[in-house]
Amino acid sequence: MQEYIVQSGDTLSAIARRFLGASGNWQAIAQANNITNPNSLRVGQRLLIPTANAPRQPAAAPEVVMVRNTLQGIYPPTKTAISFTTVGSEVIAKLLNTGQQEPFAQTRGNGLYRLGIFKLRDFIGYGASLLQQVQLSTSEINVIQVTSANEGSLDAINTWDSQYLSFGIFQWTLGSAGQQGELPALLTKIKRLYPSEFQYYFGQFGVDVVSLDGVTGWLSLNGTRLVSDVDKNIMRQPIWALRFMIAGMDALVQSVQILHAVSRLDRFYFTPTQTLQGYTLSQLLNSEFAVALLLDHHVNRPSHVFGCVADAIARSGQTPAQVAQSAANQEAVIIQNYLQLRETYGGASAMTKSRDRAEQIRQSLNSGRLSAQRFSFRSNRQARLV
């Protein structure tokens, strides 16, 4: 081994990249120096650096659980050890107890992705009773079903981009380095509504959550809050993608995903704002079609929605007060202007594929899955707040 003295700005991953050839080898340095918290480096600290070809203690094979809740009942809790191989771009999980191999994701960049196979439209059919339990209205289900077509499946996973880990129909993220993410808020809701399922899929593997406002929060692993790049990079490992994927196949977890997706409307659709002269979006645009478009925009560019709608109303020759108080239905004109504006609203940070996403939602209107009638959107939020 050689010795290295920590300098200002050093991180374990940077030191590993310099001496061992890859930032992912930071754990070898941590093990050699009995470091349990990778963020605890101090300037002047002496580190022993293992040689790049030094033998390492074999790690125990990671484990996953099987899907617990299906509509056929509850499977007994089981765990199985897993190994991973990559063939071309396919990531393959091998169950060590049976030898069974399953491709479950594709490699990309620093991690992998899985589009998923469990679609929300299918769950609405087979999981209707669970949606009744979480008190979703028919309108809310219609809107989420259509909007999710622009996002992901219930078991979708992404670990390759700057958010480290994204999961589910709205691709809730762990958050960029140093930032909170939306994924912990989803996990908090799972923990509150179905604590045994949270423990089964996440808690027994050291995961816990701190959600400060029900919108974003922090993930912790074995008592360490994941904040820095080094911390969050752990969640790029294939084992975490597989664990979240399996959780996304659980019927109860799926129902909470849908509930959490709907609760996004509570954060902006019913909120008065000075941008709209103190009115709420629910007072101005209230068809199922309009709500689906607004939710789709908010998932992609949340900070743009109020301003874009305000500009669309102004372009229509109206004020928010006139729209809210008029007996005439101005929605079609406002929506037409809104869809034109949102393609470029925000300049370089405008909504991604705005026109394509709008067309996807418009097809649902044409097929009768959504209504364009004024006041056709019905929320069940008050019942859920009781």
Side-chain angles (χ1 to χ4, degrees):
M1 289 193 184
Q2 60 182 307
E3 188 175 84
Y4 175 74
I5 298 176
V6 175
Q7 307 296 311
S8 177
D10 276 343
T11 64
L12 275 182
S13 60
I15 295 170
R17 185 166 54 249
R18 176 179 174 184
F19 289 97
L20 303 181
S23 59
N25 291 331
W26 67 269
Q27 292 174 317
I29 301 175
Q31 182 178 3
N33 293 274
N34 296 316
I35 295 174
T36 57
N37 181 357
N39 293 317
S40 63
L41 291 186
R42 306 182 308 278
V43 173
Q45 181 179 355
R46 295 179 181 274
L47 296 178
L48 294 175
I49 308 297
T51 56
N53 59 355
R56 298 176 60 183
Q57 293 294 326
E63 294 180 309
V64 296
V65 293
M66 298 296 101
V67 179
R68 182 176 181 180
N69 295 287
T70 71
L71 296 182
Q72 287 72 45
I74 299 177
Y75 287 127
T78 58
K79 288 196 293 187
T80 184
I82 291 283
S83 67
F84 297 95
T85 57
T86 302
V87 178
S89 63
E90 280 195 328
V91 184
I92 300 171
K94 179 180 179 180
L95 280 64
L96 297 186
N97 61 340
T98 65
Q100 178 182 352
Q101 299 188 59
E102 289 290 340
F104 76 98
Q106 303 283 319
T107 59
R108 182 172 181 179
N110 293 326
L112 53 80
Y113 72 95
R114 171 187 173 83
L115 297 179
I117 60 174
F118 283 80
K119 304 297 184 183
L120 190 146
R121 63 176 177 268
D122 298 325
F123 182 86
I124 288 172
Y126 67 74
S129 61
L130 291 177
L131 294 181
Q132 291 176 359
Q133 289 181 30
V134 293
Q135 296 182 294
L136 295 182
S137 72
T138 301
S139 277
E140 289 168 332
I141 293 171
N142 290 344
V143 165
I144 291 298
Q145 178 179 1
V146 169
T147 309
S148 68
N150 283 328
E151 292 299 321
S153 301
L154 292 154
D155 56 327
I157 296 290
N158 167 21
T159 68
W160 66 266
D161 67 12
S162 63
Q163 301 301 302
Y164 301 96
L165 174 67
S166 304
F167 169 64
I169 53 173
F170 274 6
Q171 288 293 279
W172 293 284
T173 70
L174 188 60
S176 56
Q179 301 294 319
Q180 297 182 51
E182 292 185 329
L183 179 58
L186 169 67
L187 296 185
T188 298
K189 191 164 289 183
I190 295 171
K191 184 178 181 179
R192 176 173 59 83
L193 293 175
Y194 299 112
S196 63
E197 277 62 39
F198 179 87
Q199 177 62 25
Y200 179 69
Y201 289 110
F202 306 109
Q204 68 171 312
F205 298 114
V207 170
D208 206 350
V209 286
V210 178
S211 180
L212 303 179
D213 56 7
V215 178
T216 61
W218 302 103
L219 204 68
S220 69
L221 184 61
N222 299 320
T224 299
R225 185 175 294 188
L226 304 184
V227 178
S228 70
D229 174 72
V230 171
D231 295 334
K232 293 191 174 187
N233 254 317
I234 295 172
M235 305 308 289
R236 293 194 197 275
Q237 297 174 358
I239 186 62
W240 288 110
L242 185 60
R243 286 169 177 165
F244 272 85
M245 180 204 83
I246 292 170
M249 296 178 171
D250 183 287
L252 293 182
V253 174
Q254 291 174 344
S255 71
V256 178
Q257 281 194 54
I258 300 169
L259 174 63
H260 194 59
V262 168
S263 70
R264 192 182 193 99
L265 287 171
D266 299 344
R267 308 206 311 258
F268 78 97
Y269 183 64
F270 302 97
T271 302
T273 172
Q274 288 307 307
T275 306
L276 297 171
Q277 299 180 356
Y279 287 93
T280 68
L281 286 167
S282 62
Q283 294 172 297
L284 305 174
L285 300 171
N286 36 53
S287 70
E288 290 180 345
F289 178 52
V291 174
L293 292 170
L294 294 171
L295 180 59
D296 185 49
H297 197 179
H298 195 270
V299 170
N300 193 262
R301 293 292 186 272
S303 63
H304 293 182
V305 176
F306 289 136
C308 190
V309 171
D311 287 357
I313 291 173
R315 179 178 286 191
S316 304
Q318 302 284 310
T319 66
Q322 290 171 327
V323 174
Q325 297 167 15
S326 174
N329 185 2
Q330 302 291 324
E331 186 168 288
V333 174
I334 296 170
I335 288 295
Q336 180 179 359
N337 289 327
Y338 164 73
L339 289 177
Q340 291 175 352
L341 285 166
R342 81 174 193 176
E343 291 183 15
T344 57
Y345 191 89
S349 64
M351 185 179 183
T352 306
K353 297 182 178 179
S354 174
R355 184 175 300 182
D356 293 341
R357 294 167 74 108
E359 182 57 32
Q360 179 82 19
I361 293 174
R362 193 182 300 278
Q363 289 176 12
S364 296
L365 176 65
N366 295 337
S367 67
R369 284 192 291 164
L370 288 177
S371 171
Q373 290 295 317
R374 193 180 190 190
F375 304 116
S376 58
F377 180 73
R378 295 286 188 270
S379 170
N380 214 18
R381 63 191 292 263
Q382 294 300 329
R384 293 192 295 271
L385 293 175
V386 175

